[in-house]
Amino acid sequence: MPPSTETRPYTATPEGVRLAVRLTPRASRTGLDGLVEGADGRVWLQMRVAAPPVEGAANTALIAALADTLHLRRSDIRIVSGDTARQKILALGGDPSLLAARLDAWIAGAATRR
């Protein structure tokens, strides 16, 4: 069952979707940890990457992981805000309904593995 609109870490745009990610660098593995709610009530996709937060390595690893998982080109993903912060907003280019379905399936799969 897909998450409700209020618990989704993304919003559809005419160009694709905007994805809210909370990133943990220097982790033991790269992957999805699920969803986390911020102090302001906003829902974030909790990701971790093995790369360190040095010279953009963690951002590059995040983009690579998302591209592989969501079957996108790396050039279809860009960081809109939070380039040097843990909380980032990413723009994913493509068909919004297709991207939303892929994100919902990925999030649901992560929830069942926990």
Side-chain angles (χ1 to χ4, degrees), residues 50-90:
V54 179
E55 297 178 5
N59 288 341
T60 301
L62 171 64
I63 290 171
L66 288 172
D68 290 344
T69 301
L70 299 174
H71 307 290
L72 295 171
R73 296 178 306 214
R74 291 179 187 187
S75 61
D76 288 336
I77 303 171
R78 66 183 173 83
I79 297 175
V80 176
S81 68
D83 193 45
T84 59
R86 284 184 185 261
Q87 295 180 329
K88 304 172 185 303
I89 303 296
L90 286 82

Side-chain angles (χ1 to χ4, degrees), residues 6-90:
E6 298 81 32
T7 61
R8 289 183 175 153
Y10 63 86
T11 55
T13 66
E15 298 82 31
V17 299
R18 291 215 174 212
L19 178 64
V21 176
R22 185 177 188 289
L23 182 65
T24 302
R26 259 194 205 124
S28 60
R29 64 173 175 81
T30 296
L32 173 64
D33 283 341
L35 300 177
V36 63
E37 186 174 335
D40 61 355
R42 184 172 190 171
V43 176
W44 298 81
L45 188 75
Q46 177 69 49
M47 289 281 302
R48 63 176 61 207
V49 294
V54 179
E55 297 178 5
N59 288 341
T60 301
L62 171 64
I63 290 171
L66 288 172
D68 290 344
T69 301
L70 299 174
H71 307 290
L72 295 171
R73 296 178 306 214
R74 291 179 187 187
S75 61
D76 288 336
I77 303 171
R78 66 183 173 83
I79 297 175
V80 176
S81 68
D83 193 45
T84 59
R86 284 184 185 261
Q87 295 180 329
K88 304 172 185 303
I89 303 296
L90 286 82

